[in-house]
């Protein structure tokens, strides 16, 4: 043997030994951690946590970048997807053991000009390692890692399992990962429902999910789809005849990107995020690590009913544009007079904007930055149209005013018995207005919507009954002054039932004088209102700030027979494999006697029959219900909370800045807030799949004696706060309760008539229940049984 040959073999064996040693060292993690056998058998792929409604409908997800994926089994993936993938990405997938020698030799000889040599198993390995170095040496080591893991995958998984793992991890663009999310995003389908041409589109995107994205580059995506279809023909997965008919078909997209701005119940998803993160911090996985909301693929089941949620969103979208038209046509808004003495708010908004922050980072002087806010520019702003935005030209300063002048709302619906929240609308548009107006932290002045709590206390502990005569005159409180502050000239008395139905402020002032402000404030805490309310006389008229969430929590005691039921919205949490990690049960506490709860429910029926929400029960055609309106000083806040024996809902209306308000009669709670509630309940009762009964009645306590309710007509309900200048909690009150229609402009009157016309607001009501007696008569529909 010649010396040259010896040297060759020596180099060969030394090189082979070095190569084997390198592979061993890589396998043992010398060049970076390698997945263990256990990790390969149970691969730790980053998974988005998914939130589901009460019927299993996906509501939305929590994920970090590259985390928006959901697992799906092989049997739940269309055969066309699998065939298209193998035909396009790895023709000999079923024949090799992780590394395709033939493709590898071709890639080396042709220097990659005819395509790469990575098999599906190698690509899966690469996804699991999440690597992609640009350094040549490191890239070679990464390639060796892929080979090792690919072989291990082939030894520990079936071909079908590898295909499913691969399809669950690959990116499809639009920040969408995995075949399930891709099918939902581009075609609004589950992956087992994909047709052959749809499968070809998605598999085609794997070569370049931006270049071949049919939503952005239709022509390129169309051509790439046909390449995939042709590959399926070459590999005998598709006939020539089928290819001929399919290749001319256009791509029929049904694109809808599911993100935090356009999923079902986006406000709700944003509110419960912190609660779920807290749960994750307090609970550990089997390996001792805490759960991660963004990567552990949790499945969070909620009480939100998708159909009711859509009805709630629809109700808001139907009524709020009408209110906005009234506000936008007010002289104070059109002339910017509403911003007089409030320029500091606009300046603060300027400084909080992205424009200001970016220019500040560019070291532009503040005075120069300010000037840019007065230069007209093209922009998109919120609008009440199907797209919820419009193109316009205005100054950034004017756009701040424009967006602050938008009326906001909060709307929540729940089952009062179980506490399960069924619908949650936190504002008019989550993309533009992230601030939620339902949750526990968002508090607004509640106005007369608080009065049922005071009436319940007077009945429960002080012997009052619906027919008790109450003084309907101003009440004087030493140290606090008169409540209400303005003397309306009323004299005489009103029954409790009449005082509540027509929201007579003088009756509420009389009641808190009998019970005392301190006892009422304490009672609010006893019925589970979390906010501590200061004991001032004016709280009888709702001068305190409470959240819509708290108000509904308090109102649950009426339809439930005296039980305060905490609103709940998460029913259970599962891990990615379907194992139940936590269940959540209703929290109930008896706070009121059944007699008082029932009597209050029937008294509150006077509100929706004759009073501040008169006619509502008849229009809905329900046997029994209760409700209460609320309006605060200057019409800054409008409320309506109503309930049937099966369902409780509450609406708040107002602007985030309280000095921006509806100056016309449309700001009154019965006109501003109630139409949203009414439209929603009409839709719910008309939907037979929801099974809510119009004829349901409140449970009558045993032994409750007959009691006549008297409703004396009050032509003008006094539903807003008028509390007394000396009250230290409120300061100076407004001098007027409800503006007179004669002060409205002709345009406002026209819009007001349109907004309050049932033909324009509601679907035709069902046949009404037996009509109640006229105001002033006793008995009838309000008589306890």
């Amino acid at each position: 043997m010649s010396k040259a040959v010896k040297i060759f073999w020596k180099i060969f064996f030394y090189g082979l030994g070095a190569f084997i040693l390198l592979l061993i060292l890589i396998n043992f993690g010398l060049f970076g951690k390698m997945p263990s056998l256990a990790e390969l058998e149970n691969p730790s792929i980053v998974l988005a946590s998914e939130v589901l409604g009460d019927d299993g409908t996906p509501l939305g997800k929590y994920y970090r970048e590259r985390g928006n994926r959901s697992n799906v089994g092989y049997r739940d993936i269309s055969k066309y997807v699998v065939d298209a993938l193998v035909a396009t990405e790895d023709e000999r997938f079923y024949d090799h053991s992780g590394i395709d020698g033939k493709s590898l030799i071709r890639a080396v000889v042709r220097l990659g000009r005819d395509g790469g040599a990575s098999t599906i198993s190698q690509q899966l390995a690469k996804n699991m390692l999440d690597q992609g170095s640009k350094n040549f040496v490191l890239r070679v080591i990464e390639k060796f890692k892929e080979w090792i893991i690919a072989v291990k995958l082939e030894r520990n998984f079936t071909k079908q399992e590898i295909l499913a793992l691969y399809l669950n991890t690959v990116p499809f663009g639009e920040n969408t990962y995995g075949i399930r999310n891709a099918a939902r995003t581009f075609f609004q389908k589950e992956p087992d429902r994909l047709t052959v041409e749809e499968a070809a589109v998605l598999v085609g995107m794997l070569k370049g999910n931006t270049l071949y994205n049919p939503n952005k580059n239709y022509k390129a995506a169309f051509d790439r789809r046909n390449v995939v279809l042709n590959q399926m023909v070459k590999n005998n997965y598709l006939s020539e005849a089928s290819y001929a008919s399919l290749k001319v078909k256009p791509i029929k997209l049904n694109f809808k990107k599911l993100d935090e701005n356009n999923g079902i119940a986006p406000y709700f998803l944003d509110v419960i995020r912190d609660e779920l993160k807290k749960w994750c911090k307090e609970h550990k996985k089997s390996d001792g690590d805490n759960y991660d909301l963004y990567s552990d693929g949790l499945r969070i089941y909620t009480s939100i009913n998708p159909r009711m949620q859509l009805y709630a969103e629809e109700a808001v979208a139907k009524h709020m544009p009408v209110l906005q038209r009234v506000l936008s046509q007010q002289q104070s808004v059109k002339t910017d007079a509403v911003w007089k003495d409030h320029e500091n708010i606009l300046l603060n908004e300027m400084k909080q904007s992205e424009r200001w922050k970016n220019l500040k980072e560019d070291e532009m002087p503040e005075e120069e930055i300010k000037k840019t806010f007065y230069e007209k520019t093209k922009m998109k702003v919120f609008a009440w149209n199907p797209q919820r935005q419009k193109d316009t030209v205005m100054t950034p300063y004017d756009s701040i005013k424009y967006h602050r002048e938008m009326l906001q709302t909060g709307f929540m619906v729940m089952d009062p018995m179980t506490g399960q929240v069924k619908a949650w609308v936190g504002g008019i548009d989550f993309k533009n207005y992230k601030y939620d107006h339902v949750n526990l932290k968002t508090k607004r002045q509640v106005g007369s919507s608080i009065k049922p709590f005071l009436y319940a206390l007077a009945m429960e502990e002080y012997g009052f009954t619906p027919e008790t005569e109450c003084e309907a005159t101003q009440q004087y409180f030493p140290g606090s002054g008169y409540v209400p502050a303005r003397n309306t000239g009323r004299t005489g008395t009103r029954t409790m039932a009449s005082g509540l139905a027509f929201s007579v402020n003088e009756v509420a002032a009389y009641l808190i004088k009998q019970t005392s402000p301190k006892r009422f404030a304490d009672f609010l805490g006893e019925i589970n209102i979390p906010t501590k309310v200061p004991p001032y006389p004016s709280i009888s008229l709702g001068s305190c700030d409470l959240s819509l969430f708290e108000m509904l929590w308090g109102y649950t005691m009426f339809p439930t027979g005296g039980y305060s039921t905490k609103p709940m919205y998460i029913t259970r949490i599962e891990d990615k494999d379907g194992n139940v990690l936590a269940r959540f049960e209703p929290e109930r506490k008896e706070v009121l006697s059944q007699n008082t709860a029932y009597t209050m429910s029937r008294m509150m029926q006077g509100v929706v029959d004759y009073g501040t929400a008169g006619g509502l029960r008849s229009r809905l055609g329900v046997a029994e219900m209760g409700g209460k309106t609320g309006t605060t000083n200057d019409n800054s806040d409008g409320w309506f909370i109503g309930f049937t024996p099966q369902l409780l809902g509450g609406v708040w209306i107002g602007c985030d800045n309280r000095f921006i308000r509806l100056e016309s009669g449309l700001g009154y709670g019965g006109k501003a807030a109630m139409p949203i509630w009414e439209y929603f309940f009409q839709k719910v009762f008309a939907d037979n799949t929801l099974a809510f009964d119009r004829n349901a009645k409140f449970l009558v306590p045993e032994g409750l004696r007959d009691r006549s309710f008297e409703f004396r007509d009050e032509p003008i309900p006094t539903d807003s706060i008028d509390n007394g200048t000396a009250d230290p909690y409120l300061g100076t009150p407004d001098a007027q309760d409800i503006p007179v229609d004669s002060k409205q402009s002709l345009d406002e009157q026209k819009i007001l008539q349109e907004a309050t016309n049932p033909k324009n607001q509601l679907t035709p009501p069902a046949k009404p229940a037996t009509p109640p007696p006229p105001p002033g008569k006793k008995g009838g529909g309000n008589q306890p049984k």
Side-chain angles (χ1 to χ4, degrees):
M1 186 181 294
S2 67
K3 186 175 182 181
V5 172
K6 287 182 179 180
I7 292 172
F8 170 79
W9 284 112
K10 186 178 289 188
I11 292 172
F12 174 78
F13 284 114
Y14 276 135
L16 181 62
F19 178 70
I20 294 171
L21 178 62
L22 177 63
L23 292 179
I24 292 171
L25 292 175
I26 290 173
N27 187 50
F28 280 99
L30 184 66
F31 296 95
K33 185 177 181 297
M34 293 282 283
S36 66
L37 183 61
E39 289 172 324
L40 287 176
E41 290 173 345
N42 299 282
S44 177
I45 297 170
V46 175
L47 294 174
S49 290
E50 192 162 26
V51 182
L52 304 117
D54 64 356
D55 62 353
T57 299
L59 302 181
K61 296 179 180 181
Y62 300 114
Y63 56 88
R64 296 189 185 94
E65 182 69 22
R66 296 200 64 183
N68 183 15
R69 51 169 67 102
S70 298
N71 268 351
V72 59
Y74 177 82
R75 65 181 180 181
D76 295 318
I77 301 172
S78 167
K79 179 181 182 296
Y80 300 127
V81 174
V82 173
D83 292 345
L85 176 65
V86 172
T88 308
E89 297 292 324
D90 191 354
E91 293 175 335
R92 285 176 290 280
F93 173 74
Y94 295 108
D95 301 322
H96 63 67
S97 297
I99 300 173
D100 185 355
K102 185 176 180 180
S103 294
L104 182 61
I105 294 170
R106 183 202 64 212
V108 171
V109 172
R110 298 289 298 165
L111 299 176
R113 287 191 293 270
D114 292 340
S118 289
T119 63
I120 290 174
S121 301
Q122 286 177 252
Q123 292 178 47
L124 173 58
K126 182 179 179 180
N127 290 340
M128 293 175 70
L129 289 168
D130 193 22
Q131 60 189 14
S133 175
K134 293 183 179 180
N135 182 282
F136 175 76
V137 175
L138 293 178
R139 184 69 195 102
V140 170
I141 293 173
E142 287 176 353
K143 182 59 69 174
F144 289 155
K145 284 183 179 182
E146 290 174 20
W147 289 354
I148 294 169
I149 295 173
V151 172
K152 287 184 177 181
L153 285 169
E154 291 279 350
R155 291 174 58 188
N156 289 279
F157 290 91
T158 66
K159 291 289 186 179
Q160 289 77 16
E161 288 171 334
I162 290 172
L163 288 168
L165 281 170
Y166 176 82
L167 286 168
N168 281 324
T169 62
V170 287
F172 286 90
E174 305 282 356
N175 196 28
T176 300
Y177 292 78
I179 188 64
R180 168 176 277 172
N181 288 344
R184 288 176 177 176
T185 299
F186 290 94
F187 299 106
Q188 300 299 298
K189 289 183 176 182
E190 287 299 313
D192 62 339
R193 304 287 181 180
L194 292 169
T195 63
V196 61
E197 64 269 26
E198 291 168 345
V201 169
L202 295 181
V203 170
M205 291 174 67
L206 299 178
K207 186 176 177 66
N209 54 51
T210 299
L211 177 61
Y212 300 115
N213 183 335
N215 188 50
K216 295 179 178 178
N217 299 305
Y218 179 87
K219 179 63 168 61
F222 179 86
D223 293 341
R224 178 62 186 166
R225 180 202 67 178
N226 288 348
V227 168
V228 174
L229 291 172
N230 188 48
Q231 282 294 112
M232 293 178 72
V233 173
K234 286 174 60 178
N235 288 276
N236 300 316
Y237 292 120
L238 191 66
S239 68
E240 287 281 1
S242 295
Y243 172 66
S245 64
L246 290 172
K247 70 179 183 179
V248 296
K249 274 189 172 184
I251 298 175
K252 294 183 179 179
L253 283 182
N254 188 4
F255 181 83
K256 185 178 180 183
K257 186 177 179 182
L258 182 63
D259 61 23
E260 64 174 10
N261 292 321
N262 62 14
I264 299 175
Y267 285 98
F268 172 75
L269 292 173
D270 192 56
V271 168
I272 67 170
R273 185 196 307 264
D274 288 340
E275 190 169 328
L276 290 168
K277 287 165 70 174
K278 182 174 181 289
W279 183 91
C280 288
K281 285 183 179 179
E282 295 171 350
H283 293 80
K284 295 184 181 294
K285 296 181 285 189
S286 57
D287 62 4
D289 292 337
N290 290 104
Y291 284 98
D292 189 323
L293 179 64
Y294 299 102
S295 62
D296 283 335
L298 299 176
R299 292 174 67 81
I300 299 109
Y301 288 84
T302 72
S303 59
I304 295 293
N305 181 279
R307 295 178 74 87
M308 295 172 72
Q309 178 67 31
L310 291 174
Y311 292 153
E313 301 274 2
E314 184 181 330
V316 166
K318 188 170 184 67
H319 185 61
M320 290 304 292
V322 178
L323 294 180
Q324 189 62 50
R325 285 168 57 196
V326 176
L327 180 67
S328 299
Q329 290 190 26
Q330 287 176 182
Q331 282 298 109
S332 60
V333 174
K334 291 169 73 173
T335 63
D336 281 346
V338 71
W339 290 103
K340 185 180 179 182
D341 302 325
H342 299 292
E343 291 86 354
N344 60 315
I345 292 174
L346 297 174
L347 178 60
N348 184 61
E349 288 289 319
M350 287 167 59
K351 291 185 175 181
Q352 295 299 316
S353 69
E354 287 297 317
R355 171 185 289 268
W356 184 285
K357 291 175 183 176
N358 292 335
L359 294 176
K360 191 75 174 174
E361 287 178 4
D362 293 340
E363 299 182 353
M364 181 181 286
E366 285 199 1
E367 286 305 313
E368 293 298 316
I369 296 176
K370 278 186 184 179
K371 288 180 182 178
T372 69
F373 279 81
Y374 297 93
E375 297 170 359
K376 287 191 174 183
T377 183
K378 292 181 179 179
M379 63 177 70
K380 293 182 184 293
V381 297
F382 171 78
W384 277 114
N385 58 29
Q387 294 75 36
R388 294 295 188 268
Q389 67 178 21
K390 67 178 181 181
D391 294 308
T392 189
V393 175
M394 65 170 66
T395 68
Y397 180 79
D398 286 336
S399 75
I400 292 173
K401 289 189 293 185
Y402 173 85
H403 283 101
R404 298 305 294 181
E405 290 165 2
M406 285 291 165
L407 278 162
Q408 294 292 336
T409 188
F411 183 23
M412 183 175 122
V413 182
M414 63 180 288
D415 180 332
M417 298 293 180
T418 65
Q420 291 191 357
V421 175
K422 295 300 178 183
W424 180 304
V425 183
I428 58 173
D429 181 65
F430 185 74
K431 183 177 181 179
N432 290 282
Y433 301 96
K434 296 289 193 288
Y435 190 70
D436 182 87
H437 297 88
V438 172
N439 76 85
L440 195 59
K441 298 176 182 178
T442 305
K443 298 174 173 58
R444 292 289 292 228
Q445 207 171 59
V446 294
S448 294
S449 62
I450 203 172
K451 289 177 182 176
F453 301 149
L454 176 61
Y455 278 65
L457 172 64
M459 293 178 62
E460 182 82 348
E461 298 183 4
Y462 294 86
F464 283 74
T465 68
E467 60 269 25
T468 299
E469 295 286 345
C470 302
E471 292 181 14
T473 56
Q474 275 184 308
Q475 300 295 317
Y476 182 76
F477 295 83
S480 293
Y482 284 99
V483 177
R486 181 166 62 90
N487 188 344
T488 61
R490 284 193 178 86
T491 58
T493 62
R494 298 289 186 278
T495 63
M496 278 260 290
S498 181
L500 183 62
F502 296 99
S503 201
V504 181
N505 283 342
E506 288 84 352
V507 171
Y510 171 78
L511 290 176
I512 201 169
K513 196 164 192 176
Q514 311 312 305
T515 61
S516 84
K518 183 179 187 309
R519 180 66 198 109
F520 182 42
D522 290 343
F523 180 70
L524 292 174
E526 291 167 10
I527 63 173
N528 289 337
I529 300 290
T531 299
K532 186 173 178 58
V533 175
Y536 296 115
S538 59
I539 63 175
S540 61
L541 310 185
S543 60
C544 54
D545 284 10
L546 297 173
S547 67
L548 178 59
F549 186 94
E550 289 174 292
M551 292 299 290
L552 288 185
W553 190 350
Y555 268 68
T556 58
M557 67 182 178
F558 300 126
T560 60
Y563 285 87
S564 171
T565 311
K566 183 178 181 179
M568 62 172 290
Y569 29 76
I570 301 171
T571 56
R572 75 178 186 275
I573 299 174
E574 295 179 356
D575 66 14
K576 60 181 170 54
D577 298 316
N579 300 308
V580 177
L581 304 175
R583 292 187 186 275
F584 301 89
E585 302 298 332
E587 295 182 30
R588 304 182 77 208
K589 171 188 172 185
E590 190 172 7
V591 296
L592 210 60
S593 69
Q594 190 178 3
N595 282 7
T596 300
Y598 174 78
T599 305
M600 280 299 304
S601 295
R602 298 306 306 282
M603 277 178 60
M604 293 169 75
Q605 191 159 290
V607 176
V608 296
D609 280 346
Y610 317 111
T612 54
L616 175 59
R617 183 172 75 97
S618 178
R619 292 196 300 274
L620 286 176
V622 297
E624 292 184 354
M625 67 171 291
K628 187 69 190 77
T629 57
T631 312
T632 64
N633 279 344
D634 292 336
N635 296 336
S636 293
D637 304 90
W639 294 77
F640 182 74
I641 302 175
F643 55 89
T644 68
Q646 297 173 303
L647 209 56
L648 166 67
V651 183
W652 165 85
I653 298 286
C655 285
D656 286 331
N657 296 115
R658 300 188 193 199
F659 58 85
I660 306 174
R661 57 189 176 80
L662 288 162
E663 297 164 1
S664 70
L666 198 52
Y668 164 58
K671 292 178 179 177
M674 190 186 70
I676 291 175
W677 192 100
E678 184 174 353
Y679 183 88
F680 171 83
F681 272 75
Q682 287 279 20
K683 297 288 286 188
V684 166
F685 281 124
D687 189 335
N688 294 329
T689 65
L690 296 174
F692 287 105
D693 186 5
R694 293 179 190 267
N695 297 313
K697 294 187 177 183
F698 299 113
L699 185 64
V700 184
E702 291 184 15
L704 183 66
R705 70 177 179 84
D706 272 0
R707 199 177 267 162
S708 298
F709 292 8
E710 182 175 347
F711 298 101
R712 298 178 190 166
D713 192 15
E714 291 282 340
I716 301 179
T718 56
D719 196 39
S720 58
I721 299 173
D722 202 10
N723 44 56
T725 56
D727 192 318
Y729 185 56
L730 277 176
T732 305
D734 187 56
Q736 192 173 16
D737 287 326
I738 297 175
V740 181
D741 280 354
S742 62
K743 293 187 178 182
Q744 300 168 21
S745 69
L746 290 176
D747 285 341
E748 288 173 345
Q749 290 183 42
K750 182 179 178 182
I751 296 171
L752 177 58
Q753 289 168 2
E754 177 187 335
T756 55
N757 185 344
K759 291 182 180 179
N760 295 333
Q761 282 297 306
L762 302 170
T763 54
K767 184 179 179 180
T770 303
K777 299 287 181 73
K778 296 183 179 182
N782 292 279
Q783 184 174 346
K785 299 176 182 177

